[in-house]
Amino acid sequence: MTDLLHTLPDFPTKLYTHLIPSLEKNLITVTDLLTLEPLEISRRAHLPLLDVRRLTRHVLAILQYQLGVPSAEETLRDYEHPPKARNTPLLKQPGAAIVTKWSAISTLDPYLDAALSGGIPTGYITEVTGESGAGKTQFLLSFLLTAQLPPPRGLSRPTLYISTEHPLPTPRLTQMLGTQPHLSSLPVTGQPSLSRIFSIQTPDLESQDHILTYQVPVLLARHNVGLVVIDSIAANYRAERSSTSTSGAALGLRSSQLLKLGHQLRSLARVHNCAIVVSNQVADRFAPASPPPQARHMGSSPPRSLSSSPHSSSQGMLSLDAAIMSPPPPSTAYPDQQQTSIYPPLTLDHQQNFFTGWSSGPPPISHLPQQLNQNLKTPALGLVWTNQVACRIALIKERNLGIHGEGSEGARDAERLWTRYLKVVFASWAPSTGVMDLGTEFEIWGGGVRAVAT
C-alpha cells in the first residue's frame, strides 16, 4: 500500500511480502482496507480473499491497540509469532505516568522559559517563524546545544540539524559554547559537543521527502536523538512551487504534501519522544489605507501596551504617550471588549490576527506607531501547515526609533537599532501572548539569545 508505513511505521511487512506489491500497484490504501469489503479489494488487486482478510484484520488490530482497545492485544497474538514488542498505548497509561514523562528543552534564560512555560517539550511540532534577521536560526542553534544537557534543562540526548538553505554553522556553535555562562562553566565531560549534533542537507523537495521518510527514522532509533531541527521548512516548497503555480490542482497537490509532512513529523515526535522544531519564513501582508465599510461603524478603543514583558527595557523605545497624541473615543458597540481588527469577526483577515502572530491593530491606524502597521507578516505555507503544528512562536523585529539628545541627522540615523520580541502565538502547553502585545523582548549576543532585562 502506498501509505502503510506512513500510517503504521512499525507494521511487520515481512508477513505480507506476497501481497503488498500488488496492493501498491492497484493503489490500495490503508483507508481502503478499513472501509472496503475484503472481496472488493481481492478483486481489484487479484489476490486471495483469505489473505486480504487476514491483512485487513491485522491492520485494524494494530490501530485498535494504539487506541487502547482491550481486545486488540489478544488479537495481535494470533497474527504475530512471537508477538512484536510495543510500547504501552498512551490511552492505557495513568495520568500521573504521563505527567512525569514531561520533558522540555530550556532556552537557558528564565524570562524566555517563563514565556514558553518551561521551554520546548518533546512529542510536539514547534514552529519558530519570523522575517530574515529576526533570530530564528539563533534560537534553533541554542536548542541544539541545550538539548544535550541533563534534565531539567535538557534531554541528555544528541540532536539532528536538517538544513534546506545553508550548512550547519559550526563556528557560531563554538562561539556559543565558549560565551554562554552556563555552558562554559560546565566541566569538559559535561559540556555539549558538536560531535553529538548530526547534520543533513536537503537541497530539494524530493530529497527532503526521502530523508524524512527513510533516513531520519533510522537515525532517531539508532542514536536516541532527542531534538530534530529543520531550518527552514518552507524553503524547498517556495523554490519548487513558483508563484505562477496557483491553479487548483497545484494548490491541492501542495496541500496534500503538507498534510503528509505534518503526519510524518508528528509520528516521529510521538514514536521517538523527541522534539521537532522547525523555522518558517514569512511573507508581507499589507493593511488597508482605510477601514473597510463594515468596520467604520463598529467604533474603536485605545490600543494596549506594545509589550507585556515586565522586564523589557524602556531605553530606546518609542513611548506610546508621545505616539498617541489624541486617542480615539471608546468603543460604543462593544464596551467590554477591545477591538483587535478592523475586519468583521468571521473573515480570514480578522481571524489571522490570532494565528499569524502579527495583528493589524484597531482603527484608526494613525494612532499607532506607523511602523507597527506597515510591518505586517504572514507565515509561509498557509493555513494547511498552521494546522499541523502544536505551537507557533513568532519572532517580531521592529525598528527602534528612539533618539536620545541632540545631534545631526547622521547621528540620529546611527542610533536606530532593531528591537526583537518573542511572541507565543498559540501553544498547547503555554498561554498565548495577547493579540495586541509584542511579547518578551530579547537580544542576540555571543552566547545565543537572552531576554532584555531592566
Side-chain angles (χ1 to χ4, degrees):
M1 287 150 291
T2 55
D3 63 342
L4 178 60
L5 293 180
H6 295 305
T7 306
L8 300 172
D10 59 344
F11 186 82
T13 55
K14 293 182 179 180
L15 300 177
Y16 303 96
T17 53
H18 61 296
L19 303 179
I20 292 179
S22 181
L23 294 173
E24 291 180 344
K25 180 180 179 180
N26 292 275
L27 302 179
I28 304 296
T29 65
V30 174
T31 303
D32 295 331
L33 287 179
L34 300 177
T35 57
L36 300 179
E37 291 292 334
L39 180 60
E40 181 178 350
I41 298 176
S42 175
R43 290 175 176 174
R44 284 176 53 182
H46 305 287
L47 293 173
L49 176 60
L50 294 180
D51 291 345
V52 172
R53 184 171 296 168
R54 179 179 177 85
L55 172 62
T56 302
R57 291 177 178 176
H58 194 173
V59 172
L60 181 60
I62 294 179
L63 292 173
Q64 290 177 340
Y65 178 82
Q66 293 180 351
L67 293 175
V69 178
S71 60
E73 187 174 0
E74 182 178 353
T75 305
L76 286 176
R77 295 194 184 100
D78 299 333
Y79 290 95
E80 300 175 5
H81 305 285
K84 186 175 180 178
R86 289 185 171 87
N87 297 328
T88 304
L90 193 62
L91 295 181
K92 295 180 100 176
Q93 300 178 19
I98 297 176
V99 171
T100 55
K101 289 185 177 180
W102 173 269
S103 54
I105 304 171
S106 171
T107 63
L108 298 183
D109 183 275
Y111 295 112
L112 298 179
D113 281 348
L116 298 173
S117 294
I120 304 298
T122 58
Y124 298 92
I125 303 176
T126 302
E127 179 196 86
V128 181
T129 185
E131 59 184 304
S132 177
K136 302 186 297 295
T137 300
Q138 302 301 318
F139 264 94
L140 302 183
L141 294 180
S142 64
F143 292 143
L144 291 176
L145 298 176
T146 54
Q148 302 180 35
L149 298 176
R153 290 187 172 91
L155 309 173
S156 293
R157 298 163 66 181
T159 55
L160 170 63
Y161 182 81
I162 302 176
S163 173
T164 61
E165 298 179 282
H166 49 74
L168 179 67
T170 52
R172 175 58 174 150
L173 291 171
T174 304
Q175 182 187 27
M176 289 182 178
L177 284 173
T179 309
Q180 216 288 329
H182 179 77
L183 299 180
S184 59
S185 63
L186 295 173
V188 178
T189 55
Q191 285 185 350
S193 172
L194 270 62
S195 62
R196 302 192 68 196
I197 302 177
F198 299 96
S199 178
I200 303 177
Q201 283 191 270
T202 58
D204 51 59
L205 199 57
E206 182 179 358
S207 63
Q208 174 180 307
D209 181 69
H210 182 273
I211 288 171
L212 292 177
T213 303
Y214 300 103
Q215 298 183 19
V216 171
V218 175
L219 182 65
L220 298 186
R222 287 182 179 178
H223 300 280
N224 190 29
V225 172
L227 169 67
V228 178
V229 169
I230 304 179
D231 187 17
S232 71
I233 198 67
N236 287 331
Y237 287 97
R238 282 186 161 185
E240 299 200 13
R241 301 287 179 260
S242 63
S243 58
T244 58
S245 302
T246 57
S247 63
L251 294 178
L253 176 61
R254 194 181 79 162
S255 297
S256 63
Q257 291 175 338
L258 293 176
L259 290 173
K260 175 184 176 182
L261 175 63
H263 175 73
Q264 285 180 322
L265 297 179
R266 286 195 304 272
S267 298
L268 292 174
R270 182 182 66 252
V271 173
H272 301 279
N273 190 32
C274 64
I276 308 290
V277 184
V278 303
S279 66
N280 194 7
Q281 301 168 353
V282 295
D284 289 318
R285 174 160 54 98
F286 300 97
S290 60
Q294 300 91 330
R296 292 175 181 171
H297 305 287
M298 296 176 64
S300 58
S301 59
R304 291 163 55 189
S305 172
L306 281 177
S307 175
S308 62
S309 173
H311 53 275
S312 59
S313 174
S314 59
Q315 296 182 355
M317 292 295 295
L318 182 61
S319 173
L320 278 183
D321 294 335
I324 308 177
M325 301 303 297
S326 56
S331 172
T332 56
Y334 303 98
D336 297 330
Q337 299 180 11
Q338 178 196 16
Q339 184 155 336
T340 59
S341 177
I342 61 178
Y343 300 97
L346 297 183
T347 61
L348 177 62
D349 292 317
H350 172 81
Q351 295 295 326
Q352 66 182 350
N353 293 324
F354 300 95
F355 63 81
T356 63
W358 284 263
S359 175
S360 56
I365 298 177
S366 59
H367 286 280
L368 279 176
Q370 190 66 22
Q371 74 274 19
L372 294 184
N373 296 284
Q374 296 179 346
N375 196 28
L376 299 178
K377 307 293 179 181
T378 298
L381 303 183
L383 190 58
V384 173
W385 171 251
T386 300
N387 291 323
Q388 307 304 309
V389 301
C391 171
R392 168 167 285 169
I393 301 171
L395 303 184
I396 301 175
K397 185 177 70 170
E398 297 291 349
R399 184 174 291 278
N400 182 3
L401 299 180
I403 301 176
H404 307 285
E406 298 295 335
S408 63
E409 291 297 329
R412 293 184 178 185
D413 291 339
E415 291 181 5
R416 295 186 178 183
L417 302 174
W418 289 105
T419 304
R420 296 175 174 85
Y421 300 90
L422 180 144
K423 181 175 182 178
V424 179
V425 184
F426 59 84
S428 57
W429 62 87
S432 302
T433 308
V435 174
M436 297 304 300
D437 294 335
L438 287 176
T440 304
E441 183 180 351
F442 73 94
E443 64 179 358
I444 300 173
W445 68 297
V449 293
R450 63 184 177 187
V452 176
T454 54

